[in-house]
Amino acid sequence: MRLDIVITGVGGQGNVLASRILAKAAMEWGLPVRTSEAIGMAQREGVVMSQVRMGEGAYGALIPDGSADILLGFELAETIRGLAKLKTGGVVIANRQTIFPVSVSLGLSQYEPEQMISYLENTAAQYHLLDATALAGEAGTYKCTNIVMLGALASLGILPYDEEHLKQVMLDVIPPKLRDINLRAFALGRQALGGE
C-alpha cells in the first residue's frame, strides 16, 4: 500500500511536526517513508507545505501534482492552493481558519473565505471542513491545531496504521507536560469528523 499526504498551511501552525509524526508512525509500522518540506521566507505566517509518502513505490520525496491521496489544509487559502496536488477522488481535510496575508491588510488584494469554501465544495470530491483552531483552543491552546487535524485524519480510517499507533507516536514526540492537552486535541479532532 502507498499513501501520499500533503500538509499545507502557514508558519507557526505545526505543519512540520504533524508531518514528522505521520512519518515516524509509518516508519515504526515498518513502512518505507519519504518526506519533503517547503518553508516560506517568514518563520511565522509564511507558506509551509510538507509532503509525506509512505509505502512501497515512492521513489522521490515530492508528490507530483494530481497524485496526493490526502490533503490536510491547516489554513483555508493554503488548502485551496494545495488542491493542485490532490488526485481525483482524493480526500481533503480543511481547517476553516483564515490568516490574512499582509497584502490584504494593505488593501492590495482580497481574501474571501466563503468563496474559497464554495470553491472547495465544487472542486473536491471528498472534503471535510472543521474549525480545528477553535477545537484546539477548547483543548487548551490553539497551538495544538495540528494535533486536532491529525485526530480528524485518524477518524477516517485511511492511514496504513491504526489510530492507537498514531496516538502513541504523537505522545512519544510531544513533551510530557503537553500530553494531556494534545490528547484532548486529538480526541476533539476525531469527534469533529464523527469518530467516537
Side-chain angles (χ1 to χ4, degrees):
M1 172 189 191
R2 193 174 91 220
L3 193 69
D4 288 345
I5 304 172
V6 170
I7 307 173
T8 187
V10 298
Q13 290 187 297
N15 180 322
V16 173
L17 178 60
S19 71
R20 290 183 180 164
I21 291 170
L22 288 169
K24 187 175 189 323
M27 286 187 292
E28 290 184 5
W29 199 255
L31 297 171
V33 178
R34 298 189 184 280
T35 63
S36 172
E37 297 159 359
I39 300 174
M41 293 297 289
Q43 282 189 329
R44 294 276 176 201
E45 300 181 6
V47 176
V48 179
M49 180 182 283
S50 298
Q51 300 177 46
V52 181
R53 308 188 83 185
M54 51 183 83
E56 299 295 334
Y59 298 108
L62 298 178
I63 300 169
D65 287 353
S67 299
D69 300 290
I70 300 166
L71 171 63
L72 287 181
F74 287 14
E75 194 277 337
L76 194 53
E78 295 308 321
T79 301
I80 300 302
R81 191 186 323 264
L83 285 173
K85 288 287 185 189
L86 194 67
K87 73 178 185 183
T88 302
V91 176
V92 178
I93 302 173
N95 183 8
R96 286 184 172 273
Q97 183 181 26
T98 56
I99 298 175
F100 297 120
V102 174
S103 60
V104 171
S105 303
L106 296 173
L108 302 174
S109 63
Q110 295 183 347
Y111 190 114
E112 303 290 342
E114 292 310 316
Q115 288 180 4
M116 288 184 224
I117 291 170
S118 178
Y119 181 79
L120 179 62
E121 291 169 348
N122 293 321
T123 305
Q126 298 183 63
Y127 75 93
H128 304 273
L129 193 60
L130 67 153
D131 194 339
T133 305
L135 292 171
E138 190 179 321
T141 176
Y142 72 91
K143 291 180 179 180
C144 59
T145 297
N146 55 350
I147 304 301
V148 171
M149 295 294 286
L150 290 181
L153 173 59
S155 76
L156 298 180
I158 55 180
L159 292 169
Y161 40 78
D162 63 48
E163 176 185 324
E164 287 305 313
H165 176 68
L166 178 62
K167 195 187 307 183
Q168 187 56 55
V169 170
M170 173 196 76
L171 291 174
D172 291 344
V173 170
I174 290 171
K177 68 180 181 178
L178 301 175
R179 287 181 181 159
D180 288 342
I181 287 173
N182 283 279
L183 281 171
R184 286 195 299 273
F186 191 89
L188 288 168
R190 285 193 78 256
Q191 293 164 13
L193 296 193
E196 298 282 323

